[in-house]
């Protein structure tokens, strides 16, 4: 019993001794395995094994890391000049080994099947060595996360099947080995955790599977120097984390759909060696560094778009070497240097856009004259020098964007030959001299920005012929002279900024006809009255800094004297009206009558040509009246009122509609019939012709007392009829005013044609108009 008891009593300590023995046996085995490794690599010129001494704990050996059980977990001996054959049979008996890193050494021999006993391995690097023979199947290494076998001398077939089990694989680097040729391994595209795939130069043939797009974690994909063919699968765009893609030295076709990614890093220098590269789209990425300077120089290069990156360095000089390039788009980078001279000859270019960089120097003259370019955009750089007369050759140029540079000199008058121009932006430069008169020949010009330069001289009248102008800014120059009257002719002008110049004289009344959402004439030397329709508080800031201006309605400005500032043209007109008002009126009505007939004759005439709402010309000369009557589209000039006198609601809301035109027309009729102007001192304070006539009628004074004394008695009846129409047209409530169409009808019924018959030819045009109106009577200043 006692023996039994004592042996029972000693059982735990025996167990402990037993365990300790086993443990130290394992320890000594691990030591043995490591010493075995050291011996195998004894010819290495390295000091790393100096600490590998049997008297020391293995965990203190250089390159060895142990786990908490003091068992070998990691061997890190890369770049140690190791020479010899790996004793994998002993290494793989290290039960806890999860990292074996032996890259960049001089190891040789074959890699044996024993590797399969390293089942715990998560990290295996045998890359950059001198092994021979095939690489074994390693299906048992299912824990592997990082596998480096690149450039290690392996040949034969690679055991792709082994990868099936390695579902956690993050790094697969097997490139630069002389494997047998074979198709793209399907096992690879199932490794969805892959972040790094290096399969350059490992004899892959055939196409890249679409499923490559499943590897969404990839940051690096290198498949260069294989025998890949066919299209690059479009699924490649799903690789949102990719920062490097190398596919060169294959026979792939199709395009590189790489734009709008988060590609970062530099564009590989190899891009410059792509002998067949014709299109490069890498815009909106985060690429840094320079563009390869040989880029696009080998073949019939077509286009480059690397806009919106962080690229530095110069523009590659030879992309148009073969004379086939169509687009150079490098907007918004940090490129430096000059525009390479070669592009001046690149007559195929459709777009030249280098804006928002740090480019400098003179723009090669030929660039201005690129015959097919629709956009030349060099904005926001540091370019200097002039725009040369070559611009006359730029027949296709629609957009010339040169803003924010240091360009200087005069704008060549040849710019008028670039007749496709829609947008000219020269703002914020050092341009000087006169604005060429020839600019008026640009009939498509819609936007003209010359602000913040040193232009001098006057604004050319010819701008009034740029009928497409919508937006014009000449602010902050040294322009002088008067605002051209012709600007009022611009039917779509929407924004006009002439501030901060030395412009003098009156604001032409013609400007009342413009529908401007922005008007800035501030800080000039303008004088005289602010035209009625512009004289509203909303425009108050538009005129500041012009001490000579006056206004009837904006209290900020001095008050105008009633007769001040009446232009020559208005005086002429009043003179004409006084003499021939009834004739004109009659002519007008006849004209409407004839026009209407013409309308029925000519079905192509649009209904809208009767909608006269877009005309509010303030003043006009006799010639213009005649022209206007001849040109159906300008009828409104005549009917819109001698002073651009406008309906009350128009003044406040600045909204124009037919009803306000009818009002203006009514005022003209009143002026014609009464021989008075819209505003006369005799009407009293704040009273106009409409008030005056209605007060006359209220007091039951004879209607005849309103009529112009120059009207012959025989025509008084017609004149009264016209006056009635005028009163209807000027009803206070817009809704009460008749439509223009009915006004015309009413005028026809009033039969003023009788009056004018002598002045109108049979064909309905004023072919004798000048004589009819009496040109000598109406000439100015008579
Ligand atoms: C061994 O390495 C040392 C220092 O790195 C070097 O000076 C020596 O030339 C090398 N010897 C051989 C044989 O490579
Ligand atoms: C793996 O190790 C076991 C026991 O240690 C051994 O019997 C077997 O031969 C080894 N297998 C290989 C492929 O080395
Ligand atoms: C090749 O393998 C080495 C380790 O041997 C590794 O550091 C390197 O990143 C690998 N190269 C590529 C391109 O994967
Ligand atoms: C692998 O290369 C060795 C020489 O380095 C050669 O003897 C052997 O035939 C090659 N094997 C294959 C499958 O190409
Ligand atoms: C192109 O790939 C082939 C096949 O891998 C290789 O032999 C050749 O050296 C590569 N050429 C370049 C320039 O990389
Ligand atoms: C290059 O891009 C142009 C314009 O998008 C296209 O017409 C041409 O076909 C492309 N060339 C190739 C080889 O894809
Ligand atoms: C250009 O460089 C400047 C300063 O180095 C930097 O602030 C800016 O963001 C860069 N622009 C782009 C588009 O990379
Ligand atoms: C442009 O073309 C002309 C005539 O073909 C040639 O003389 C000149 O050297 C070319 N210039 C450049 C910069 O390519
Ligand atoms: C007119 O242009 C000048 C110069 O660019 C600018 O400072 C000013 O704000 C513009 N006026 C308006 C009303 O935008």
């Amino acid at each position: 019993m006692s023996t039994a008891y004592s042996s029972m009593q000693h059982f735990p300590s025996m167990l402990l001794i037993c365990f300790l023995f086993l443990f130290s046996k394992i320890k000594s085995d691990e030591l043995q395995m490591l010493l075995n490794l050291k011996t195998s690599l004894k010819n290495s010129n390295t000091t790393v094994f100096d600490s590998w001494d049997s008297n020391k704990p293995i965990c203190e050996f250089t390159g060895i890391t142990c786990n908490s059980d003091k068992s070998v977990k990691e061997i890190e001996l890369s770049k140690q000049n190791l020479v010899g054959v790996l004793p994998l049979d002993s290494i793989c008996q290290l039960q806890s080994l999860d990292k074996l890193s032996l890259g960049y050494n001089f190891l040789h021999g074959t890699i044996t099947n024993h590797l399969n006993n390293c089942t715990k391995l998560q990290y295996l690097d045998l890359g950059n060595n001198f092994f021979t023979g095939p690489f074994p199947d390693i299906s048992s290494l299912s824990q592997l996360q990082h596998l480096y076998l690149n450039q290690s001398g392996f040949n034969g077939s690679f055991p792709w099947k082994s990868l099936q089990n390695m579902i956690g694989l993050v790094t697969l680097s097997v490139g630069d080995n002389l494997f047998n040729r074979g198709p793209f391994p399907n096992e690879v595209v199932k490794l969805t955790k892959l972040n790094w795939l290096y399969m350059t130069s490992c004899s892959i043939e055939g196409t890249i599977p679409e499923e490559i797009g499943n590897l969404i974690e990839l940051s690096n994909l290198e498949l260069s120097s294989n025998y890949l063919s066919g299209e690059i699968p479009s699924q490649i765009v799903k690789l949102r984390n990719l920062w490097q893609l190398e596919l060169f030295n294959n026979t792939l076709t199709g395009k590189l759909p790489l734009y709008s990614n988060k590609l970062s890093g530099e564009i590989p220098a190899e891009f410059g060696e792509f002998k067949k590269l014709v299109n490069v789209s890498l815009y909106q990425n985060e690429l840094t560094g320079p563009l390869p300077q040989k880029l696009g120089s080998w073949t019939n290069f077509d286009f480059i778009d690397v806009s919106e990156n962080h690229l530095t360095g110069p523009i590659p000089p030879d992309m148009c070497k073969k004379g086939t390039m169509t687009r150079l788009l490098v907007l918004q980078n940090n490129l430096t240097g000059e525009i390479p001279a070669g592009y001046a000859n690149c007559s195929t270019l459709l777009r030249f856009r280098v804006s928002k960089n740090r480019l400098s120097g003179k723009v090669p003259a030929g660039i201005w004259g690129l015959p097919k370019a629709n956009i030349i955009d060099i904005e926001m750089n540091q370019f200097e020098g002039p725009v040369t007369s070559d611009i006359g050759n730029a027949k296709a140029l629609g957009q010339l964007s040169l803003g924010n540079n240091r360009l200087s000199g005069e704008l060549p008058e040849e710019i008028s030959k670039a007749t496709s121009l829609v947008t000219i932006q020269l703002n914020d430069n050092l341009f000087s001299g006169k604005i060429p008169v020839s600019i008026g020949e640009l009939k498509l010009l819609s936007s003209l920005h010359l602000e913040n330069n040193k232009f001098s001289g006057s604004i050319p009248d010819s701008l009034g012929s740029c009928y497409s102008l919508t937006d014009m800014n000449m602010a902050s120059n040294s322009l002088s002279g008067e605002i051209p009257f012709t600007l009022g002719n611009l039917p779509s002008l929407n924004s006009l900024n002439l501030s901060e110049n030395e412009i003098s004289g009156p604001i032409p009344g013609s400007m009342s006809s413009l529908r401007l959402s922005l008007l800035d004439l501030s800080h000039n030397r303008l004088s005289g009255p602010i035209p009625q329709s512009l004289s509203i508080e909303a425009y108050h800031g538009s005129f500041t800094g012009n001490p000579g201006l006056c206004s009837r309605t904006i209290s900020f400005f001095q008050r105008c004297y009633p007769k001040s500032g009446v232009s020559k043209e208005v005086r002429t007109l009043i003179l004409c009206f006084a003499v021939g008002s009834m004739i004109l009126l009659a002519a007008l009505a006849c004209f409407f009558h004839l026009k209407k007939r013409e309308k029925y004759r000519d079905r192509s005439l649009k209904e809208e040509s009767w909608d006269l709402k877009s005309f509010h010309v303030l003043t006009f000369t006799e010639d213009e009246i005649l022209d206007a009557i001849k040109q159906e589209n300008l009828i409104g000039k005549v009917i819109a009122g001698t002073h651009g006198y406008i309906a009350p609601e128009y003044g406040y809301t600045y909204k124009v509609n037919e009803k306000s035109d009818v009002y203006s027309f009514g005022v003209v009729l009143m002026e014609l019939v009464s021989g008075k102007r819209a505003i006369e001192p005799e009407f009293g304070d704040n009273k106009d012709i409409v008030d005056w006539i209605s007060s006359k009628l209220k007091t039951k004074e004879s209607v005849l007392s309103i009529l112009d004394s120059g009207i012959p008695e025989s025509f008084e009846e017609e004149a009264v009829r016209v006056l009635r129409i005028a009163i209807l047209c000027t009803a206070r409530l817009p809704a009460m005013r008749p439509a223009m169409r009915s006004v015309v009808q009413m005028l026809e019924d009033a039969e003023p044609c009788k009056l004018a018959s002598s002045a109108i030819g049979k064909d309905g045009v004023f072919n004798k108009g000048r004589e009819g109106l009496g040109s000598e009577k109406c000439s100015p200043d008579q």
Side-chain angles (χ1 to χ4, degrees):
M1 275 299 270
S2 69
T3 317
Y5 174 78
S6 94
S7 65
M8 282 284 282
Q9 208 176 26
H10 290 101
F11 183 71
S13 49
M14 280 177 63
L15 209 66
L16 182 67
I17 289 161
C18 214
F19 182 77
L20 282 175
F21 173 78
L22 268 173
F23 188 74
S24 63
K25 172 78 169 72
I26 289 169
K27 287 286 112 179
S28 66
D29 279 358
E30 293 215 328
L31 172 65
Q32 201 49 54
M33 290 160 201
L34 291 180
L35 292 179
N36 206 352
L37 176 62
K38 178 181 171 179
T39 313
S40 303
L41 308 177
K42 61 177 183 292
N43 292 327
S44 308
N45 183 4
T46 178
T47 54
V48 74
F49 293 128
D50 291 0
S51 62
W52 290 38
D53 187 322
S54 53
N55 299 321
K56 281 197 174 170
I58 52 171
C59 296
E60 285 171 23
F61 288 11
T62 306
I64 299 298
T65 305
C66 294
N67 62 15
S68 52
D69 295 333
K70 308 238 183 293
S71 189
V72 175
K73 183 174 178 286
E74 297 183 359
I75 299 177
E76 171 52 84
L77 293 173
S78 57
K79 299 181 183 165
Q80 296 298 338
N81 285 321
L82 303 183
V83 177
V85 177
L86 268 189
L88 280 174
D89 51 345
S90 56
I91 292 174
C92 285
Q93 288 177 35
L94 294 167
Q95 297 296 308
S96 308
L97 191 66
D98 66 23
K99 176 170 181 178
L100 179 59
S101 180
L102 296 167
Y104 298 101
N105 282 300
F106 300 90
L107 302 172
H108 63 271
T110 55
I111 296 297
T112 60
N113 242 335
H114 294 109
L115 186 54
N116 273 298
N117 264 358
C118 281
T119 51
K120 297 237 171 73
L121 274 188
Q122 297 181 6
Y123 189 106
L124 175 61
D125 176 9
L126 300 176
N128 300 283
N129 279 290
F130 295 90
F131 298 113
T132 47
F135 187 79
D137 182 285
I138 48 167
S139 299
S140 59
L141 306 191
S142 58
Q143 319 272 308
L144 263 188
Q145 293 175 11
H146 304 276
L147 178 58
Y148 294 96
L149 302 174
N150 55 315
Q151 196 148 2
S152 269
F154 298 114
N155 64 4
S157 300
F158 185 81
W160 300 111
K161 286 236 149 41
S162 323
L163 303 178
Q164 267 176 352
N165 301 329
M166 298 178 194
I167 50 170
L169 205 61
V170 173
T171 307
L172 178 61
S173 178
V174 295
D176 301 317
N177 287 298
L178 276 173
F179 296 127
N180 292 348
R181 281 172 77 149
F184 196 102
N186 277 320
E187 293 80 3
V188 169
V189 295
K190 293 189 178 125
L191 301 170
T192 52
K193 298 235 168 87
L194 274 186
N195 166 282
W196 185 276
L197 181 57
Y198 182 66
M199 286 173 44
T200 290
S201 194
C202 48
S203 310
I204 311 286
E205 57 187 19
T207 55
I208 303 174
E210 299 186 345
E211 292 82 0
I212 195 85
N214 298 345
L215 304 185
I216 53 169
E217 301 292 333
L218 277 184
S219 68
N220 182 34
L221 172 58
E222 297 184 60
L223 302 171
S224 312
S225 294
N226 281 295
Y227 305 97
L228 292 165
S229 57
E231 299 241 330
I232 299 169
S234 58
Q235 282 80 355
I236 217 158
V237 300
K238 295 202 284 184
L239 306 181
R240 288 275 150 190
N241 297 315
L242 207 60
W243 66 261
Q244 173 161 273
L245 173 66
E246 298 220 357
L247 301 174
F248 63 93
N249 193 17
N250 281 293
T251 49
L252 293 165
T253 55
K255 55 189 176 183
L256 271 182
L258 290 188
Y259 44 83
S260 280
N261 278 289
K262 285 186 192 155
L263 301 179
S264 61
E266 305 205 350
I267 294 181
E270 288 87 344
F271 253 69
E273 303 299 326
F274 285 8
K275 302 275 158 51
K276 291 184 178 168
L277 190 65
V278 297
N279 289 336
V280 177
S281 274
L282 291 169
Y283 62 87
Q284 278 179 354
N285 281 292
E286 291 175 7
L287 299 166
T288 53
L291 284 164
Q293 290 299 290
K294 285 188 190 164
L295 190 70
S297 61
W298 306 102
T299 187
N300 294 342
F301 194 70
D302 188 340
F303 81 77
I304 181 171
D305 187 353
V306 291
S307 303
E308 296 179 56
N309 282 288
H310 309 286
L311 298 167
T312 52
I315 298 175
D318 293 324
M319 294 184 291
C320 196
K321 199 169 157 190
K322 297 277 186 320
T324 52
M325 187 176 192
T326 61
R327 271 161 263 213
L328 192 156
L329 307 170
V330 298
L331 299 78
Q332 216 172 314
N333 280 286
N334 260 333
L335 300 174
T336 51
E338 305 199 353
I339 296 176
Y343 296 107
N345 267 3
C346 190
S347 59
T348 47
L349 269 182
L350 303 177
R351 291 187 181 196
F352 185 83
R353 306 194 67 177
V354 301
S355 55
K356 298 187 188 164
N357 279 288
R358 288 193 273 157
L359 298 162
S360 56
K362 284 189 183 173
V363 177
I367 295 282
W368 304 121
L370 290 172
K372 291 190 180 162
N374 5 91
I375 302 181
I376 294 178
D377 173 13
I378 65 167
E379 260 178 18
M380 297 196 193
N381 280 290
Q382 294 150 26
F383 290 116
E384 55 194 38
V387 174
T388 65
S389 58
D390 300 65
I391 190 96
N393 300 327
K395 298 295 181 202
L397 192 61
Q399 180 184 334
L400 180 64
S401 298
L402 314 180
N404 290 279
N405 278 290
R406 296 174 196 156
L407 298 166
S408 58
E410 298 200 5
L411 191 56
E413 64 176 44
E414 285 81 358
I415 197 162
S416 64
K417 303 207 175 100
T419 48
S420 305
L421 273 171
V422 173
T423 302
I424 299 180
Q425 288 167 318
L426 309 185
N427 53 289
D428 300 273
N429 277 290
L430 303 169
F431 288 110
S432 57
K434 291 189 173 173
I435 300 170
V437 171
S438 61
I439 204 161
E441 288 161 39
L442 298 176
K443 302 296 180 212
L444 302 180
L445 188 63
S446 162
S447 177
L448 178 62
H449 279 258
L450 305 181
E451 68 267 26
N452 299 313
N453 277 290
K454 296 177 173 178
F455 285 111
S456 56
S458 54
I459 302 173
D461 285 356
S462 62
L463 272 172
S465 328
C466 298
Y467 292 119
S468 310
L469 263 181
T470 59
D471 175 15
M472 183 161 115
N473 192 337
M474 300 186 170
S476 298
N477 279 287
S478 303
L479 297 168
S480 53
E482 299 195 359
I483 300 177
F485 169 81
T486 55
L487 293 192
N489 296 353
L490 296 171
S492 3
L493 194 65
N494 179 45
S495 172
L496 177 66
N497 188 342
L498 303 176
S499 65
E500 295 182 50
N501 279 290
E502 291 149 34
I503 302 168
S504 55
I507 299 173
S510 63
M511 287 182 55
S512 303
S513 67
L514 300 171
R515 310 282 188 271
L516 297 170
S517 62
L518 184 152
L519 174 64
D520 193 348
L521 304 179
S522 63
H523 302 283
N524 277 291
R525 295 174 192 167
L526 296 165
S527 56
I530 297 171
Q532 190 81 13
S533 73
L534 303 176
S535 201
I536 53 176
E537 295 292 343
Y539 277 146
H540 164 181
S542 306
F543 305 107
T544 54
N546 290 286
L549 287 177
C550 67
S551 168
R552 286 204 198 96
T553 43
I554 311 182
S555 48
F556 181 83
F557 296 94
Q558 55 178 316
R559 224 179 135 74
C560 298
Y561 294 105
K563 295 261 180 187
S564 72
V566 174
S567 69
K568 216 161 68 174
E569 289 84 355
V570 172
R571 265 184 283 129
T572 310
L573 199 72
I574 291 164
L575 189 65
C576 287
F577 281 160
V579 177
S581 59
M582 287 314 289
I583 294 173
L584 176 62
L585 174 59
L588 268 176
C590 277
F591 175 69
F592 288 135
H593 182 68
L594 293 163
K595 274 292 153 196
K596 198 169 172 190
R597 276 204 313 223
E598 205 173 284
K599 181 185 160 205
Y600 290 119
R601 231 183 17 241
D602 176 4
R603 288 281 153 191
S604 71
L605 207 68
K606 287 197 185 119
E607 283 286 308
E608 281 71 23
S609 40
W610 284 92
D611 184 357
L612 302 164
K613 67 177 167 226
S614 53
F615 300 99
H616 275 269
V617 173
L618 188 63
T619 58
F620 38 84
T621 63
E622 176 204 346
D623 282 345
E624 283 176 312
I625 295 170
L626 296 175
D627 282 350
I629 291 172
K630 282 180 208 153
Q631 296 173 37
E632 64 198 53
N633 286 336
L634 295 177
I635 301 169
K637 276 192 162 187
V638 178
I639 65 164
T642 52
H643 303 83
Y645 198 76
I646 48 163
E649 77 275 10
Y650 177 51
Y652 300 113
T653 65
Y654 205 60
K655 271 196 202 133
V656 183
N657 54 36
E658 190 189 357
K659 296 295 184 180
S660 36
D661 284 309
V662 167
Y663 188 98
S664 304
F665 187 39
V667 172
V668 179
L669 293 181
M670 285 180 172
E671 290 176 317
L672 292 170
V673 171
S674 67
K676 302 254 191 301
R677 301 177 55 194
I679 293 181
E680 300 263 6
E682 67 169 287
F683 302 157
D685 264 3
N686 293 323
K687 297 268 192 277
D688 59 23
I689 195 167
V690 180
D691 303 321
W692 178 71
I693 288 179
S694 85
S695 68
K696 282 265 184 187
L697 294 175
K698 271 191 199 125
T699 59
K700 301 212 164 33
E701 243 178 283
S702 162
V703 176
L704 296 179
S705 73
I706 297 168
L707 298 187
D708 186 350
S709 55
I711 296 176
E713 239 182 84
S714 50
F715 297 130
E716 277 177 352
E717 202 185 322
E718 282 87 358
V720 170
R721 273 188 233 145
V722 171
L723 180 60
R724 281 210 193 96
I725 297 167
I727 291 164
L728 286 175
C729 290
T730 52
R732 282 289 164 201
L733 288 175
M736 302 296 286
R737 295 171 208 155
M740 186 57 85
R741 213 164 290 208
S742 6
V743 174
V744 171
Q745 185 62 51
M746 286 188 279
L747 273 172
E748 271 177 23
D749 295 346
E751 287 190 307
C753 277
K754 277 200 293 189
L755 300 173
S757 52
S758 62
I760 300 171
K762 287 203 179 76
D763 59 356
V765 179
F766 274 79
N767 53 1
K768 288 187 182 166
R770 276 189 82 91
E771 294 110 277
L773 278 171
S775 58
E776 69 280 9
K777 284 181 200 149
C778 292
S779 58
D781 299 321
Q782 208 182 30

